[in-house]
Amino acid sequence: MNEIEFNRHRRLRRSSGLRAMVRESVLRKEDLIYPIFVVEGENVKNEVPSMPGVHQVSLDYLKEEMDKLEARGILSVIVFGVPAHKDDCGTEAYTENGIVQRAIRQIKEENPSLTVIADTCLCQYTDHGHCGVIDNGIILNDSSLELLTKTAVSQAKAGADVIAPSNMMDGFTAAIRKGLDEAGFSDIPVMSYAVKYASAFYGPFRDAAHSSPSFGDRKTYQMDPPNRLEALREAKSDVSEGADFLIVKPALSYLDIVREVKNETGLPVVAYNVSGEYAMIKAAAQNGWIDEKEVVMEKLTSMKRAGADLIVTYFALDAAKWIVEDH
Ligand code: PBG
Ligand code: ZN
């Protein structure tokens, strides 16, 4: 008999069987969304220097990449276009034969069971690298909405299954929802980047997508990292504007926000495990300082525990393999 009474939590940790039985959060292959970067040209497979294992690929490599996803049991891909030509109003974002429109059409033709998510923004397509149109150094809200809506509709016409606007203009969800409805796409869901912070963790992505702003920064439209209540206001706006999914981005430094957005809205919540989060783990793993598999699985599972239903991650292919190995 014990002299002092206390609880024996360790009873449920005694064996791997017991631990598996009481595990509260589980990462599934179905939760993973894989980002790809498509570029013009042929026979292009450029590794992004700050993102080992991530490539920009030309369309002739697309099927090979998509077959790999299917073989691993991943259901969905988010497509980023890197156009050959940029101008001040981002024309290549909404032309019928833009790089992203062709990529979407091709995936739906060659790998029709994959769910294709189109990232809807202008920054890869504008010569100034901002996510909207500019006048005198100011990023204009409402005129940007028109071009973003055109972009979303052109992506839906190309066959995108989901539209994911990442531009952080006010009212983008309402504008895009209306534009899609009017164009006959009322069945296409909007996965809104509702809570997107002006984060230093996007650095490697901007190398991959050639989308760094040529002047200034994105702080007048992306959110200020210290803010939490503002994140809830952003999320609620998007719910009222008709969003079907809500993205919180980045993931790791913002898991508190993932949890609150999930609790407050009840919508499917997507954590975007961004490029800088990928790069840090890769760098440490390549130095032998951490165990890559263990660290990746722990951090993706922590996003599930925080309330994420889905996770956009450059680790999707590896994670899907590790999930299978461990079961
Ligand atoms: C563009 C966009 C960005 C990311 C996704 N869409 C970069 C940015 O806002 O600068 C970041 C993705 C990542 O870092 O992995 N609107
Ligand atoms: Zn952008």
Side-chain angles (χ1 to χ4, degrees):
M1 271 300 284
N2 298 318
E3 289 287 319
I4 343 165
E5 288 199 15
F6 56 88
N7 296 321
R8 293 201 177 268
H9 300 289
R10 290 181 52 192
R11 278 183 199 130
L12 298 182
R13 301 177 196 144
R14 281 186 65 221
S15 66
S16 68
L18 276 168
R19 289 192 295 274
M21 288 164 73
V22 299
R23 193 155 294 141
E24 298 175 42
S25 305
V26 180
L27 181 69
R28 309 173 309 151
K29 296 188 296 252
E30 292 81 357
D31 302 331
L32 304 168
I33 300 172
Y34 188 62
I36 54 154
F37 299 99
V38 286
V39 292
E40 299 281 359
E42 259 175 57
N43 211 14
V44 184
K45 193 169 178 181
N46 290 334
E47 188 166 55
V48 181
S50 49
M51 301 177 76
V54 173
H55 300 84
Q56 301 174 322
V57 295
S58 50
L59 297 178
D60 47 330
Y61 273 114
L62 208 46
K63 182 161 190 304
E64 189 180 312
E65 294 285 307
M66 296 303 103
D67 286 350
K68 251 190 267 170
L69 291 189
E70 290 202 89
R72 296 268 168 99
I74 293 170
L75 303 179
S76 154
V77 59
I78 182 163
V79 189
F80 294 95
V82 187
H85 178 73
K86 302 178 189 244
D87 60 25
D88 63 345
C89 52
T91 309
E92 287 291 310
Y94 38 86
T95 48
E96 191 185 337
N97 279 319
I99 182 68
V100 94
Q101 287 78 4
R102 276 181 287 142
I104 293 166
R105 240 177 266 132
Q106 194 182 318
I107 299 171
K108 291 313 293 182
E109 232 170 76
E110 293 173 341
N111 300 78
S113 59
L114 282 175
T115 295
V116 177
I117 304 171
D119 178 87
T120 306
C121 205
L122 298 177
C123 53
Q124 294 108 276
Y125 306 90
T126 50
D127 49 18
H128 47 71
H130 278 288
C131 305
V133 287
I134 304 276
D135 185 34
N136 261 325
I138 305 283
I139 294 95
L140 300 177
N141 198 82
D142 300 17
S143 3
S144 300
L145 293 181
E146 280 170 46
L147 299 183
L148 290 161
T149 302
K150 264 171 88 168
T151 304
V153 170
S154 77
Q155 293 168 333
K157 279 190 181 146
D161 298 296
V162 178
I163 298 297
S166 62
N167 53 84
M168 287 299 277
M169 297 300 119
D170 285 330
F172 70 77
T173 299
I176 286 174
R177 181 70 273 157
K178 182 161 173 278
L180 289 172
D181 291 352
E182 285 171 2
F185 296 108
S186 53
D187 288 343
I188 300 292
V190 172
M191 180 183 279
S192 160
Y193 287 70
V195 182
K196 179 173 177 183
Y197 287 92
S199 170
F201 286 96
Y202 305 150
F205 174 93
R206 293 178 190 173
D207 295 341
H210 301 157
S211 65
S212 290
S214 62
F215 67 90
D217 51 42
R218 303 207 204 290
K219 290 180 184 170
T220 67
Y221 44 109
Q222 297 181 350
M223 281 186 49
D224 200 19
N227 293 356
R228 162 185 156 253
L229 296 172
E230 188 188 1
L232 297 177
R233 294 200 295 276
E234 280 280 3
K236 281 179 190 158
S237 282
D238 279 48
V239 173
S240 71
E241 292 175 28
D244 300 282
F245 302 80
L246 300 172
I247 301 181
V248 174
K249 180 179 172 195
L252 272 190
S253 294
Y254 301 89
L255 292 183
D256 55 333
I257 306 297
V258 171
R259 166 52 63 200
E260 290 206 70
V261 168
K262 183 67 196 175
N263 289 355
E264 289 285 321
T265 68
L267 282 191
V269 170
V270 186
Y272 197 132
N273 176 211
V274 300
S275 56
E277 300 171 341
Y278 177 86
M280 291 191 304
I281 290 187
K282 279 287 173 188
Q286 286 183 347
N287 274 295
W289 295 339
I290 56 171
D291 180 322
E292 182 175 1
K293 171 179 166 179
E294 294 293 325
V295 167
V296 169
M297 294 308 275
E298 181 176 332
K299 95 173 172 145
L300 295 178
T301 305
S302 73
M303 292 169 201
K304 295 291 293 180
R305 191 194 62 232
D309 300 280
L310 299 163
I311 302 169
V312 180
T313 180
Y314 305 95
F315 286 113
L317 277 170
D318 287 333
K321 185 179 73 190
W322 293 329
I323 288 168
V324 174
E325 278 173 12
D326 291 348
H327 280 89

